[in-house]
Every structure is written in C-alpha cells, then in structure tokens.
Amino acid sequence: MQRAEQWLVANLPSDAPPGFSWGDARPQNMIYRDNLPVAVLDWDTTSLAGAEADLAWWGHMVQGHTDLPGWGTGHEMLAIWQDAVGRAPEYLDWHLVKTAYALRAIMVKLSAMLLESGAISEATATRLDSGEMEWLAGLLERPMQDRFTSAWPGW
C-alpha cells in the first residue's frame, strides 16, 4: 500500500482537467428494464476525478466477466467509452492504480470489521484482505505510459 501511495503521488497528473465522476461505476449499481439501464445508484463517492476514474473503476469491476454475452473485451469497452465521451482517456494507468489502491483499502477495512464482529473467520479475513494485492502489484511493475497510452494489457 505504501508503494502504491508513493507511486500515485509521484505520478499524479498535473495537467488533467477536473471532470465529474460517478465514483462507483459498476453494473451492480444500475437498474435495468428490458435490458437497458434506467437508473444509476450509489452516488456517495462522486468527485471531480474525471470520466477516466469511472472507466478504470468499471474496468476493474467487470474483470473476469468479459465472457458473458454483451460484455465485450477491454478493447471493446474502451472503444465504446471513447465514442461516448468523444476522446481518448487520459492517464488511464494512474486511474487504474488509484482504483486498485482504493479497493485494497476498502477490503482491508471491511475484512477487519467483519472479523471483529465475528461474521467471518481469520482465514476468510486473510483471503479478503489480500484480494487486490496481485492486481495492484502487477500495475506497479509496469512503467507509467504517456498521457494517452496504457501499459495495461487489454486497454
């Protein structure tokens, strides 16, 4: 976590313009009717982090589910995003690391709370606590790319 924090500070984009971010962009926070989204839920983490923050969060949340009909690959998701937003994402690698860092912090706190309440065992807490580490470590191993390029495979 300290390494990720240092990386985020050292690579913080100084010229990224602020923009609206939903904050918890994922399929589970949407209500669908006739296979179309009709409502977006869970607005407690909105910010001015920009659309890339939501792209990185969504991309992480749908990892491993791209084999479901209609999900598409990371490249297809990125193409849809670019078409909707009208531009290429900026500093996507930074947003991917921030997403992994935030999710890791959430899981550390959640597992500690569940363990303390007796809702889960020590073994389960350890498994929950380590879930994001592999992905975060993989991101930190890749060099930061330029403003419009991502080193992460599939993007």
Side-chain angles (χ1 to χ4, degrees):
M1 290 293 285
Q2 289 174 339
R3 187 168 154 227
E5 193 172 309
Q6 291 167 348
W7 188 97
L8 286 166
V9 170
N11 291 285
L12 179 67
S14 61
D15 57 348
F20 182 77
S21 172
W22 171 11
D24 198 358
R26 57 190 172 121
Q28 299 90 327
N29 283 338
M30 300 175 78
I31 296 175
Y32 299 86
R33 181 181 307 127
D34 300 323
N35 295 321
L36 295 172
V38 295
V40 177
L41 310 174
D42 204 356
W43 292 89
D44 61 318
T45 54
T46 57
S47 72
L48 293 175
E52 287 81 358
D54 287 333
L55 174 62
W57 194 269
W58 182 280
H60 182 73
M61 291 299 175
V62 300
Q63 280 188 102
H65 301 290
T66 56
D67 57 340
L68 296 172
W71 259 168
T73 65
H75 289 294
E76 291 167 331
M77 180 183 65
L78 186 55
I80 291 168
W81 186 92
Q82 287 182 168
D83 186 51
V85 176
R87 62 177 176 78
E90 299 180 50
Y91 303 110
L92 185 54
D93 284 348
W94 190 88
H95 287 283
L96 288 167
V97 171
K98 184 188 102 8
T99 293
Y101 176 81
L103 286 168
R104 170 80 173 127
I106 289 167
M107 293 311 294
V108 166
K109 180 67 173 174
L110 178 62
S111 63
M113 290 170 46
L114 291 171
L115 181 62
E116 185 178 318
S117 73
I120 62 173
S121 68
E122 183 85 37
T124 301
T126 300
R127 193 171 59 252
L128 285 174
D129 190 28
S130 63
E132 301 301 322
M133 284 309 293
E134 185 176 323
W135 194 61
L136 180 54
L139 286 169
L140 294 174
E141 294 302 318
R142 299 174 189 281
M144 179 75 167
Q145 299 296 300
D146 66 30
R147 183 176 188 151
F148 296 104
T149 307
S150 176
W152 193 245
W155 293 84

